[in-house]
Amino acid sequence: MARRPAAVRPVQGCRLAAAEPAAFLRDPDAYVRLERAIERVRADGGKVDVVFRPFQLAPDAAFDGEPLLEVLAGMFGSHVVAETRQAAADAVKDGVTLDYGRAVAAGTFEAHRLIRSAASRGLGEAAVERLFRAHFTDGLNIADPATLKRLAAEIGVATNNAPADQLRDDLARVRTAGIRSVPQISFDGGRPLSGTQSETTYAKALQAA
């Protein structure tokens, strides 16, 4: 277990170019480690504001609930399936359960709208955590309207009313910025951390922001 920092000064913000669960196909526990680091900082009196930026790994793909491992094999090759299974085994060390055998490929545009709707109510982090768990652990189709409605109710969002055109503009801005994979995490606009880092690395970055 990483050692707790002795002192933390207030942190103004953390921006996360995170979103499409399938984009975490090798390191899906990155967000869990970041959240634990944020919890440590907040417990020591630090203030962390998390801003989520949307990203879609395959924005033009027409996923419709196919088994995720089959889709990954078709998109990237069979070796990715083995790497994905290994990632699930490694995630157990972080206390994270990833059931890729149940996971289904799904478009994420409406899930991004839910994250945005939740964030406007101060529930962005809760929404991302629940969507990740729905996708990676529960095997739910996060493109299904009925499923999203139920998840929204669990989170505390009565209406998924984030403007679709604004989301499309934000997705385009993220692509224009050169981001092609996630996680990409920046702290107060500084140079982003790419790929999964340790909980300690995230905590140090938060302290230094």
Side-chain angles (χ1 to χ4, degrees):
M1 185 69 177
R3 191 167 52 124
R4 193 182 186 83
V8 178
R9 60 188 178 83
V11 177
Q12 293 182 349
C14 166
R15 282 176 168 70
L16 188 66
E20 184 158 10
F24 283 80
L25 60 99
R26 296 190 184 188
D27 303 297
D29 55 338
Y31 182 66
V32 172
R33 295 181 186 182
L34 175 64
E35 274 294 292
R36 289 175 179 171
I38 290 172
E39 289 174 3
R40 290 167 55 186
V41 171
R42 287 172 174 164
D44 282 332
K47 183 177 183 294
V48 182
D49 296 318
V50 180
V51 179
F52 296 99
R53 300 300 184 202
F55 175 86
Q56 290 183 300
L57 180 66
D60 299 322
F63 299 130
D64 190 25
E66 299 91 344
L68 180 59
L69 290 178
E70 292 181 12
V71 171
L72 293 179
M75 291 178 64
F76 304 108
S78 58
H79 68 283
V80 172
V81 174
E83 293 174 359
T84 300
R85 294 186 190 279
Q86 184 58 54
D90 293 340
V92 173
K93 302 172 186 176
D94 286 319
V96 179
T97 300
L98 306 173
D99 192 346
Y100 282 107
R102 298 177 64 191
V104 298
T108 57
F109 187 85
E110 291 302 318
H112 282 300
R113 286 189 65 219
L114 177 55
I115 291 171
R116 182 157 295 194
S117 295
S120 70
R121 297 164 172 80
L123 298 170
E125 292 175 66
V128 170
E129 188 280 331
R130 185 63 187 99
L131 286 166
F132 279 176
R133 182 157 46 88
H135 176 74
F136 287 117
T137 304
D138 301 337
L140 300 179
N141 184 342
I142 59 172
D144 175 66
T147 298
L148 280 178
K149 185 176 181 179
R150 177 167 59 83
L151 294 175
E154 289 182 26
I155 298 161
V157 177
T159 305
N160 186 6
N161 56 1
D165 56 345
Q166 292 182 13
L167 175 57
R168 291 189 185 95
D169 289 345
D170 211 3
L171 283 164
R173 277 192 290 271
V174 169
R175 284 275 171 182
T176 301
I179 294 175
R180 294 293 181 268
S181 64
V182 291
Q184 298 274 344
I185 303 169
S186 65
F187 302 86
D188 274 353
R191 185 174 181 177
L193 292 175
S194 300
T196 299
Q197 308 292 325
S198 69
E199 181 181 329
T200 300
T201 297
Y202 289 135
K204 288 180 177 178
L206 286 165
Q207 293 175 62

